[in-house]
Each structure stands twice: as structure tokens, then as C-alpha cells.
Amino acid sequence: MFGVLAVVGFAFITHWSLYSPLHTSTQVFPEYIAISRPVPLRGTPTERFRDNLLDETKDITTWLYAGWTNSVMIQINLIYLALLTDRIPILSKFVPTTQTPGAEFLLFSEVFDLPRLRDALNMHILGTSVESIGCWSTRKAQFNREPVPTSHSRLYQWTKKFTYPSSYLSDIARFAYPETRNENLGDRVLSSLNVSLPPDEHLLCFDELYFLCTAVPDDEFDWDYNPQWKLVGQHMHWAPQLSQLAYVHLNRAFGLRGTDPTPPYIAIHARRGDIDVCSDKTACFSSITVISRRVEEVRQGLLETRGIEILSRHILMTSDETDPKWWDEILETHGAWYPVFVDAVIQSGGVGFIGTHGSTMSSLARRRAQSWHNAVTVIFKWGNPTADDH
């Protein structure tokens, strides 16, 4: 058995959510100031974003409309496409959903260390909210759903090659170049705003970049070969101020002062509350006994491979706790986003991690812990009492 010292926060599990989808600001602005290179914009922010873009460079952007973890995956895919197409990625703000009620739109640089990411990738990265623009609609091709309400042209159905609604990144990248672009300009979709614009050539735009893959059309971030993670995601470290906040609360859970060194620990992400496929959640979800067995496997693995012994009081579970008293202080001080962020930082910071099968939050936490801390990680399965037998 293991000791769970504290249930740290709400693990806001990501599913598709509805939100107010249009970014109404028309300013483009740098989210960092590069010391060694000029900012790739013309002048100060203007009313029309095109007035700021340089003629000698081309850019790429997309919309965010999912839960936060899925939005991070979309941004990773966007930056990866920027690398493939030699364009400058323009990152939308993170969008509040039903998981973050009352939250405001949030800059990428408030969550991730953007100067460090820029230096690791040796590329410019910008932040923006844009006016109406013509985009390519992967959403229409993959799902036959209406595009996000701006102006879109439909990608040909050959971008959807699987039963699972995914497209190859290489197929999507083709639309950055004249031959594929010009061959597909005729199939335009009138947006719900009653606007019809051709896809912008200078600022390449896609309405959705979540369901993309390089080889496996199903949760590719679960696989260790994933090139988007290897080339982009692992370099998206937390913003320093966010890490500091999370570790203060982590130390507090361990009974330490906020400035004390944090001991090696094992983090658990147990997704439960928003899974609606189980009529009998007691029989459906993994029991404490199942999770305890996985914890012991990770503890033993750390001892055998790295000589690290984890004390029971340094095993910590994050879950979708619904008691608001847990997070009143963070909510009041920092806002509605921070329970999500603190959970994510804590999950990524351990030398061991146990996650929930099928959770994108667990998938990225596992990748971060492996890439940053050489962590021993496992994912437990659920669905019936014997699902995780092995």
C-alpha cells in the first residue's frame, strides 16, 4: 500500500468543449523579445494584423477550441507544422472552457517558457488574436462538421484516410505550398459569420490541428517515437513563475516550507469525475488496490534502475476533486486557470508517474516526466475490475 499525503487539486480532464470561439483583438505582438535577432514584425501593433507581417517571411496559425491539454497538443502540432513548412508560428491564446469557468484568455507565455522554447528550436514564435481570415478546414474534412466560424475552404477528403478522424501531418503541410493550394481553392465553405474569403497565403491558417499524426492514427502522443513531442513538446518547459507556484504548494503538501528542496516523489493522475461511460463507477474505475500495485511497481523500478527509494509520504495523487475548499486560495489569488496548471506541473515533476489510460492529461504528464526527469512511468487501465490485470 502507499500513503497519499494529499489530493492536490482538480485534474481538469480534457474533452471537447464549447466556448465563445472568436478572438476579437486584431493585434499581433511578440510574446518574447529576442536579444540576438530582430522581432519578425513591422512596427508596433496595428488595427490590421497584415500591416505588421513582414513580406519576406510567411506565417502559420490555428484556432483553439478544446480543453487545455488538448489545446497544448494543438499548439505542439502547429509549431511542428511551422518547422516542416519553414513558417513562423503564431500562437492563439488559451481559451476558457467549461473546465475553467470564469477564466480569461491566457497567453502561451504565461504558461510556458517561451524564450527557452525559441532558443531550443532556433525559431521565431509570435502570439496573436486575429481578425476574420480565410483558413483551410480540416474539421470539415475529418468530421463533416461546420468549421469554426470564420472563413474556410475545405481540404479534400484525401486528408482523412482512417476510420479514426485523423490526417497525416505531411498531407496538411502540402497546403502551405502553391501546387496543392491552387488545386483546392474552388471548394469554399461560407462561414457562419456569412464571410467567404480564400485561404490566406501569407498567414496559412487551419481551423483545427488536433487530429493529426505521422504514422499511428490514434492518440499518437502515447507513443515514445512521436516526432511532434521529440522536436517540439519536450522543449515546452513551464514558465518559471508557474513552476515556483506549483512547487510551493507541493512542498506544503509534503509538510515542508515553500523554499525547501523538494524531495524525489511519485505523482499519480487518477481521472474519474468526467468519465460518463460507466454506469457503475465503483466497478468501472480502477480501485485503490490496483493503483497501489502500480505504485509499488514504479517504486521498485526506481530502486532497481536508479537507486532511488521513495518514501510513502512522498507519493502524491492528483484527481478531479470537487471540493472547492481545496483550491480557494489559488483561485482567489491566481485565477481559474491555475488549478489546471498546478496539477500539470506537479504531475510532470516526479521521478515516477502513474497515469490513467485514455487521458490526454496523463499522456503529456508521462512524456514530460520521462523527458525531463528520466522518470519510471506506467499507465493503468480501467473499465472493469480486471482491466489492469497483468
Side-chain angles (χ1 to χ4, degrees), residues 300-346:
Q300 188 63 30
L302 286 167
L303 188 60
E304 292 175 356
T305 62
R306 300 180 60 184
I308 299 175
E309 183 175 2
I310 302 295
L311 302 178
S312 293
R313 65 176 179 270
H314 294 154
I315 299 168
L316 189 141
M317 179 180 287
T318 64
S319 186
D320 39 6
E321 173 60 55
T322 56
D323 183 355
K325 293 180 181 178
W326 282 105
W327 286 101
D328 279 351
E329 179 182 348
I330 288 182
L331 288 169
E332 292 173 5
T333 306
H334 302 284
W337 281 109
Y338 280 82
V340 185
F341 299 155
V342 169
D343 259 10
V345 174
I346 289 173

Side-chain angles (χ1 to χ4, degrees), residues 6-13 268-273 316-322 327 339 343 347 356 361:
V7 179
V8 179
F10 301 99
F12 286 88
I13 309 305
I268 308 163
H269 174 229
R271 172 180 173 175
R272 294 176 64 88
L316 189 141
M317 179 180 287
T318 64
S319 186
D320 39 6
E321 173 60 55
T322 56
W327 286 101
D343 259 10
Q347 290 163 12
T356 305
M361 193 167 197

Side-chain angles (χ1 to χ4, degrees), residues 3 9 11 60 70 90 94 100 110 112 156 228 233 266 287 292 307 364:
I60 184 172
N70 291 15
I90 299 179
F94 289 115
T100 51
E110 294 182 69
F112 296 103
Y156 268 168
Q228 301 100 290
I266 293 173
S287 65
S292 299
L364 285 194

